[in-house]
Amino acid sequence: MAAEAQATAAGGLAGEMEVEAYRRLFPLAFLERHLRESVRPDARRPAEARPTTVALAAVSSAHGSALVRLGDTAMLASIKLEVMSPSGEAPDEGSIAVEFHMPPICSPLVRPGRPAEVAPVISKNLEDILMRDAKFEGALFDQWEGILVSIPVEIPLVSVGDDGRVFTVGGNEGKAKYELVNREKRKLTITNVPFSLTCALHKDNVLADPTAEEESIIETSVTIVLDSSDQIVSIQKPGGAVTSMTTIKECISLAKDRRRKLREILMDNVEAMEVDQTD
């Protein structure tokens, strides 16, 4: 009996090794074999996004912060606010600066001493969307002793683990606090939060929220950014095959469903945090 059990265990291990070897040698065939059964290698359905969690106030020294996990992708965002004189071009506005960092610990594709090439692109995309589409309740400036001072918002983001698109989460809604020169603390509430979803497109399949493995195999992807009222903020398609309008509409529909779920997750965490602070 013991010998039979050992033989069964050895056979199972050998089978697992064969599957993993096939996955590495023929990644596209491995993916397509799963898609024929309407399932992905990580057991998700094509339209299913990765499990998402949000932990607010992850950095005690920041004015606001959040640790977000989407599957094996983890992002740490913190908010830093300063008081300074406004620029001549925008005397009645504050500013937002986003800095995205990918240290070598987050992915084997990032080498020590060399910044990730995608980092400045993600920083610029996030900054443009926040400046253009995020609506703040109250301006990012204040009056003090007859002098107009602006509030620049610095948002450093650090990728803790990269396993797929990181350009997916909106803002730290309702929890970014700042201290003005009058020493009074007030909430800086974002009333219109952009959310996004990336879809990988392969033949007739639309894969929502792809992993890094799926991204490396599939050449075509579309990122849809929506605001809080489901209005399209931007559609990004960096190269790849020609995509039909029907497929784009399917991606938009998936992005709307994802926006509602992300907002629920975010608001649940905001409400829980407010209860904790009250207690």
Side-chain angles (χ1 to χ4, degrees):
M1 295 292 294
E4 291 180 1
Q6 291 179 355
T8 302
L13 179 60
E16 292 179 3
M17 293 178 63
E18 289 179 1
V19 171
E20 186 60 28
Y22 181 74
R23 182 175 190 165
R24 291 177 177 273
L25 293 173
F26 308 102
L28 182 57
F30 183 82
L31 175 63
E32 290 178 340
R33 185 173 180 178
H34 282 76
L35 294 179
R36 283 195 291 270
E37 304 296 330
S38 298
V39 70
R40 295 154 74 172
D42 60 2
R44 285 185 293 154
R45 295 295 178 181
E48 185 180 352
R50 289 170 291 176
T52 303
T53 60
V54 178
L56 300 178
V59 182
S60 59
S61 59
H63 293 99
S65 61
L67 176 63
V68 181
R69 300 191 69 93
L70 294 91
D72 291 332
T73 295
M75 293 293 301
L76 177 64
S78 58
I79 308 293
K80 179 183 178 184
L81 299 106
E82 297 179 352
V83 178
M84 60 178 292
S85 300
S87 64
E89 294 78 11
D92 60 345
E93 297 180 4
S95 62
I96 297 177
V98 179
E99 296 182 4
F100 178 72
H101 305 277
M102 291 184 69
I105 193 175
C106 79
S107 171
L109 300 178
V110 182
R111 301 299 181 186
R114 295 182 59 186
E117 295 180 359
V118 72
V121 177
I122 293 177
S123 298
K124 186 65 167 59
N125 286 340
L126 289 173
E127 189 173 309
D128 289 345
I129 289 174
L130 288 174
M131 284 297 294
R132 184 179 66 246
D133 301 289
K135 293 181 175 58
F136 295 90
E137 204 173 82
L140 295 180
F141 64 91
D142 202 8
Q143 194 80 21
W144 177 60
E145 295 184 358
I147 302 174
L148 189 67
V149 295
S150 68
I151 312 298
V153 181
E154 297 181 7
I155 310 177
L157 296 110
V158 178
S159 176
V160 182
D162 177 29
D163 183 42
R165 291 282 171 172
V166 294
F167 187 52
T168 52
V169 179
N172 188 10
E173 183 171 3
K175 300 312 299 178
K177 295 183 177 181
Y178 57 87
E179 186 171 356
L180 296 175
V181 289
N182 59 13
R183 303 298 178 186
E184 293 181 2
K185 287 188 176 182
R186 291 179 289 170
K187 286 184 180 179
L188 178 62
T189 302
I190 307 177
T191 57
N192 191 17
V193 182
F195 291 96
S196 70
L197 175 70
T198 296
C199 296
L201 312 179
H202 181 64
K203 297 182 178 179
D204 295 329
N205 299 285
V206 177
L207 308 184
D209 190 18
T211 63
E213 179 183 12
E214 292 169 338
E215 287 180 349
S216 67
I217 300 170
I218 301 174
E219 296 181 354
T220 306
S221 65
V222 175
T223 298
I224 310 292
V225 183
L226 304 173
D227 63 15
S228 298
S229 58
D230 276 345
Q231 297 298 310
I232 297 175
V233 172
S234 70
I235 299 178
Q236 300 179 18
K237 181 179 174 295
V242 176
T243 305
S244 67
M245 184 55 64
T246 301
T247 302
I248 295 295
K249 289 181 179 179
E250 184 177 352
C251 294
I252 294 173
S253 178
L254 292 173
K256 289 180 179 180
D257 292 338
R258 181 61 171 162
R259 183 204 67 79
R260 285 188 283 271
K261 292 176 182 177
L262 285 175
R263 184 176 178 83
E264 288 176 4
I265 294 172
L266 188 57
M267 293 308 299
D268 287 346
N269 281 270
V270 169
E271 292 172 1
M273 184 176 181
E274 289 176 344
V275 170
D276 292 340
Q277 289 182 339
T278 302
D279 295 342

